[in-house]
Amino acid sequence: MNAIDPGAIDIFSPYRLGPLQMKNRMVMAPLTRSRAEPGNLPSNMAAEYYSQRAGAGLIITEATQAGAGGQGYIATPGIHSQQQVAAWRKVTGAVHQRGGLVFVQLWHVGRISHPDFRNGEAPVAPSAIAPRGVQTYTAQGLKDIPTPRALEKDEIAAIVGEFRAAAANAKSAGFDGVEIHGANGYLLDQFLEDGTNQRSDDYGGSIENRARLLFEVIAQASQVLGSDRVGVRLSPGGTFNDMCESHPHDTFGYVVRQLSTLNLAYLHLIEPSSTPGEHPLPDLSARYFRPLYPGTLIVAGGYNHERANAVLKAGLADLVAFGQPFLANPDLPERLRRGAALNAPNPATYYGGGAEGYIDYPTLAQAAS
Ligand SMILES: Cc1cc2nc3c(=O)[nH]c(=O)nc-3n(C[C@H](O)[C@H](O)[C@H](O)COP(=O)(O)O)c2cc1C
């Protein structure tokens, strides 16, 4: 938290993020777009897409595989091969050239995968519990997700190693930092929550054990990059991907308190009331977590100009992430500054396809010409 009266700040106020200077408090939320090229390489279009959005104070990329085994959807990029690192370098170069900052979001999908992505082998997870009613996009379209296999301990250690290598690759690709994807029912969240983690070794049972993998990954990334270039995303109380935790306040309260001791770049919370169809759990919002986390807090989920300013002025968050508004408005900060109308996002072009719905949303200047 930067030490000024929160009442005086708004989304356009600059912010000091550890070693980095943000020009405003608007973050582009991580958005999977499923347009990676063969080899799971970010494309030249990705460089254009992200650099168009360099007016954000900070861009967080789409979720990106730390290791080859962590993929769960078609055409999501990786950062585990040297070709991928070279392709990402074009993205970071283009964003920096336009004065932006960019973190890469690192994930392993865990059970939210399909044998098509794993050389015919079953997905892996803390425990052999299938997500009910969840499908994934493969090269042959939507497919049901089979029951995963529980990870062996040596495999867990290998995954921690993949995150470390991915952090080193992120540095070499020119990223300003990494965000560890601990949200939305993917591997690290699957370990945290008791609905998906029924292990009896030191990665299961107590909350300290269930959080062990997340903290090992953070420690490795921090060793490589410095903790002030490592952010973490969590979705306390979220039910996306068939997640369920019987004591969300205790579990996430513990995790957030521990995170607050690590001098991280930030903690990024998806508030549970923000996902359509979910029951709002008001006390799992930033209001609950802010007192537990004095460091930089980002909130996400359904924010517009007014709500974003309100949460900043109340001192409940330091930064606000915008997902769909940034997807459809490359010049979102400029539009909000001017009180201009926003382009509406088109969900039909969220995932897959080409330039349409990706790099062709007009700026204000383009719309006027
Ligand atoms: C098309 C799409 C892709 C998304 N991909 C990711 C992702 O890769 N990683 C992640 O943590 N969240 C992802 N999310 C969630 C967003 O980051 C964000 O939390 C959500 O859209 C709510 O914010 P909004 O109301 O401003 O859009 C995605 C959301 C959408 C709509």
Side-chain angles (χ1 to χ4, degrees):
M1 204 173 6
N2 288 199
I4 53 171
D5 170 17
I9 62 161
D10 66 14
I11 53 173
F12 305 117
S13 310
Y15 188 78
R16 186 88 203 160
L17 185 72
L20 304 166
Q21 183 61 45
M22 292 173 59
K23 55 182 171 274
N24 58 49
R25 297 187 180 225
M26 298 177 64
V27 175
M28 179 179 168
L31 295 165
T32 291
R33 305 304 310 274
S34 296
R35 285 166 167 86
E37 292 179 347
N40 295 330
L41 306 178
S43 65
N44 288 330
M45 271 197 310
E48 174 66 17
Y49 164 74
Y50 284 114
S51 68
Q52 286 173 348
R53 287 155 179 78
L58 172 67
I59 293 171
I60 303 164
T61 71
E62 65 213 274
T64 297
Q65 288 93 243
Q71 185 175 4
Y73 304 89
I74 191 74
T76 53
I79 189 157
H80 47 85
S81 78
Q82 284 316 301
Q83 293 93 316
Q84 290 162 349
V85 171
W88 279 119
R89 221 170 261 138
K90 294 189 215 163
V91 174
T92 60
V95 170
H96 289 151
Q97 198 169 23
R98 290 172 80 162
L101 295 172
V102 56
F103 277 36
V104 58
Q105 189 187 47
L106 300 180
W107 73 348
H108 186 305
V109 295
R111 68 177 186 163
I112 307 299
S113 187
H114 190 276
D116 285 8
F117 300 115
R118 301 181 43 80
N119 302 320
E121 290 182 14
V124 289
S127 302
I129 303 168
R132 290 161 303 175
V134 183
Q135 294 185 305
T136 186
Y137 271 102
T138 71
Q140 287 89 39
L142 267 181
K143 289 194 182 176
D144 290 334
I145 289 178
T147 302
R149 173 176 70 73
L151 282 161
E152 303 290 340
K153 269 182 90 169
D154 60 332
E155 295 176 300
I156 297 176
I159 288 171
V160 174
E162 287 175 355
F163 274 94
R164 181 186 177 97
N169 283 344
K171 190 174 187 177
S172 133
F175 282 105
D176 298 292
V178 301
E179 176 173 287
I180 306 298
H181 195 344
N184 292 345
Y186 298 108
L187 184 72
L188 300 177
D189 196 17
Q190 290 160 29
F191 269 85
L192 285 180
E193 303 200 27
D194 62 4
T196 37
N197 184 344
Q198 295 178 2
R199 300 178 72 91
S200 53
D201 63 5
D202 43 0
Y203 288 91
S206 67
I207 174 55
E208 290 82 354
N209 282 354
R210 284 182 276 134
R212 188 176 309 283
L213 177 58
L214 174 69
F215 285 103
E216 286 180 352
V217 165
I218 292 168
Q220 292 299 318
S222 298
Q223 269 185 21
V224 171
L225 296 167
S227 62
D228 56 2
R229 291 179 186 266
V230 177
V232 175
R233 194 172 214 214
L234 299 175
S235 50
T239 58
F240 182 65
N241 280 329
D242 191 31
M243 290 305 285
C244 150
E245 162 56 46
S246 42
H247 300 93
H249 295 88
D250 294 347
T251 294
F252 287 96
Y254 167 83
V255 172
V256 168
R257 275 181 221 274
Q258 292 299 115
L259 289 173
S260 75
T261 66
L262 298 180
N263 190 34
L264 296 174
Y266 61 78
L267 168 62
H268 186 176
L269 292 176
I270 307 173
E271 296 179 307
S273 58
S274 65
T275 309
E278 287 196 356
H279 293 295
L281 292 166
D283 58 346
L284 277 171
S285 67
R287 201 170 286 282
Y288 179 74
F289 290 106
R290 169 92 277 184
L292 310 182
Y293 195 84
T296 297
L297 191 59
I298 309 180
V299 288
Y303 280 93
N304 60 19
H305 192 169
E306 190 187 343
R307 285 192 61 217
N309 275 342
V311 77
L312 293 178
K313 286 180 190 299
L316 292 172
D318 305 295
L319 305 169
V320 179
F322 298 84
Q324 290 149 101
F326 251 122
L327 186 156
N329 294 275
D331 56 346
L332 184 65
E334 182 64 13
R335 283 175 188 257
L336 296 188
R337 201 183 283 279
R338 295 196 191 187
L342 301 184
N343 299 322
N346 176 9
T349 54
Y350 278 2
Y351 305 107
E356 188 195 347
Y358 192 44
I359 54 173
D360 65 349
Y361 285 108
T363 62
L364 275 179
Q366 287 162 341
S369 66

